[in-house]
Amino acid sequence: MSGLSLTPVVIAQLYREACRFDVIVFKPGNVSCEAAGHGMQAADFLTSAAVSASVLTQLGGGVGERLLGAVRATRAAVGCNTNLGILLLVAPLVLAALAPTNEPALRQRLRVVLSDLSVADAEFAYVAIREAAPAGLGEAPAQSVYARPTVDLRAAMALAAARDLIARQYGNDYSAVFELGLAALRASRAAGGSLAQAVSAVYLTFLTSFPDSHVARKHGVAAATALCERAQRLGWSGPADPHSPAFRAKLRHLDRELKAAGINPGTSADLTVASFFACQLSDALSDRAAALSSLSQGRGPVVLGRVSPSVHG
């Protein structure tokens, strides 16, 4: 097996699909096709995905450069920050999928990308964060985003890991994505849930597992903790929960309440997108590995084209 990788076209397609489900699925507190909020519409997120896809998946450039280009493309198209958290999470995954290595496992490929992050990546990322201007962005005691970094991006993220769940993923090889998000996605599909139900299960998994970093940054840790505890009291029984009409009514009530208070569990949503994207990339790499193995053994080409069959059924 040689040169196992995905093409920019395939990765861009999977990225746009993950972002599309971000707004197709109803997630309390977040913008969706069903419920706008926080001064944004679902169309803003779809446009953001469309304009950032080619920048993220271009050949050449590191994580930081891709991140900055995608943030600028988004800003130019929609005039606000719709996707910084998503971009911070997916940029390393994109580079991992593009890498022409013999390793079929996405998380192993990701570990290499994260270990190779540079000071230049941090410089680009700092500019991207400042230009995206996320709500509640404050000053840090060391390696502030308002100053020039002197450490690589992974080390810079480690300094923010205690207060930001997205930053924490850079240090633990995306533990929340691979061990919680993907597990919830596959468990829901295995239980017969639709793709939308599976994505909802991922979101609820994050919402009930962690105080949301975006809520904590904007409204305080107490508010984020209270939201997590409130979500736990909804009565959700896990990824196999089929979502009864009564439970869906609870979700819609929570959505109205959160949006009235200006509370947006954005980190939970960003991790949901990253989990779906990672699942699709993992399955596409598995397909590619199977095709290359078949050719090397003289069995002829394997027909490709499945998009995350373990998710789509």
Side-chain angles (χ1 to χ4, degrees), residues 6 11 14 93-94 97 106 277-286:
L6 302 180
I11 297 171
L14 298 181
L93 291 170
V94 166
L106 178 64
F277 184 51
C279 187
Q280 292 189 105
L281 292 177
S282 294
D283 287 344
L285 282 168
S286 294

Side-chain angles (χ1 to χ4, degrees), residues 165-180:
L165 190 54
I166 291 175
R168 198 178 310 165
Q169 302 313 300
Y170 277 67
N172 61 24
D173 302 323
Y174 284 41
S175 174
V177 169
F178 285 92
E179 296 168 24
L180 283 181

